[in-house]
């Protein structure tokens, strides 16, 4: 298991993907220049998810994934790329509502978060198309279908 990826479970949920899978999904989304990146993946409950989303995005509900890119090289941790926060109850609820497998939805959101840490965003249609295409390609490489395709 990659020691450059720290996984923190603060969710109190029993039904999380294995740490090995979480690590593999993070690694799959890293571009070559970021292969040695350090990332913290924090899995939270809805209380912490709400608190973070309220503070950083001024939203009144928890969201599935938040990314906090470092954005600059830190002298103390030159390979630190940033933090990803996943709200486990929201991910589980969304997977059920959207008819997706639990692992497929987790993989998608982790890949989405890692891409954000590498500078991808969806602030315009063009940027969203680039990011979504990358997500779809990575997910297909690991055996999951296009998460944007509606049934």
């Amino acid at each position: 298991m990659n020691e450059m990826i720290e996984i923190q479970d603060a969710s109190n949920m029993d039904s999380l993907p294995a740490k090995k899978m979480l690590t593999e999904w993070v690694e799959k989304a890293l571009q070559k220049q970021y292969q040695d990146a350090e990332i913290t993946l924090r899995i939270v409950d809805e209380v912490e998810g709400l608190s973070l989303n309220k503070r950083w995005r001024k939203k009144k509900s928890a969201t599935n994934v938040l990314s906090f890119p470092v954005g600059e090289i830190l002298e103390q941790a030159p390979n630190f790329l940033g933090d990803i926060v996943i709200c486990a109850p929201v991910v589980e609820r969304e997977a059920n509502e959207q008819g997706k497998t639990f692992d497929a939805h987790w993989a998608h959101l982790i890949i989405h978060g890692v891409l954000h840490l590498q500078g991808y965003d969806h602030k315009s249609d063009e940027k969203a198309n680039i990011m979504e295409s990358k997500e779809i390609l990575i997910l297909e490489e690991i055996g999951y279908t296009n998460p944007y395709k509606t049934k």
Side-chain angles (χ1 to χ4, degrees), residues 123-134:
K123 292 179 182 173
S124 69
D125 287 345
E126 182 182 355
K127 288 181 175 186
N129 287 336
I130 291 168
M131 186 170 182
E132 289 173 12
S133 295
K134 190 120 182 104

Side-chain angles (χ1 to χ4, degrees), residues 1-5 7 18-21 23-24 27:
M1 201 174 323
N2 185 334
E3 280 138 35
M4 306 296 273
I5 300 164
I7 299 173
K19 286 186 177 188
K20 182 178 188 265
M21 293 302 299
T23 300
E24 286 177 13
E27 290 173 343

Side-chain angles (χ1 to χ4, degrees), residues 117-141:
L117 295 184
Q118 296 173 100
Y120 289 88
D121 68 52
H122 36 82
K123 292 179 182 173
S124 69
D125 287 345
E126 182 182 355
K127 288 181 175 186
N129 287 336
I130 291 168
M131 186 170 182
E132 289 173 12
S133 295
K134 190 120 182 104
E135 291 169 0
I136 292 165
L137 183 65
I138 294 166
L139 286 163
E140 285 176 351
E141 285 176 8

Side-chain angles (χ1 to χ4, degrees), residues 18-69:
K19 286 186 177 188
K20 182 178 188 265
M21 293 302 299
L22 297 169
T23 300
E24 286 177 13
W25 295 331
V26 170
E27 290 173 343
K28 199 68 178 162
L30 288 171
Q31 297 172 348
K32 283 200 186 332
Q33 69 265 35
Y34 297 112
Q35 288 300 306
D36 294 327
E38 295 175 34
I39 294 173
T40 300
L41 174 62
R42 183 167 175 84
I43 302 165
V44 301
D45 60 17
E46 225 152 343
V47 172
E48 187 172 344
L50 169 61
S51 175
L52 289 166
N53 207 26
K54 197 173 185 181
R55 178 174 180 190
W56 296 104
R57 297 181 62 228
K58 310 296 184 233
K59 304 283 183 181
K60 294 181 180 174
S61 63
T63 190
N64 50 22
V65 60
L66 291 167
S67 297
F68 298 96

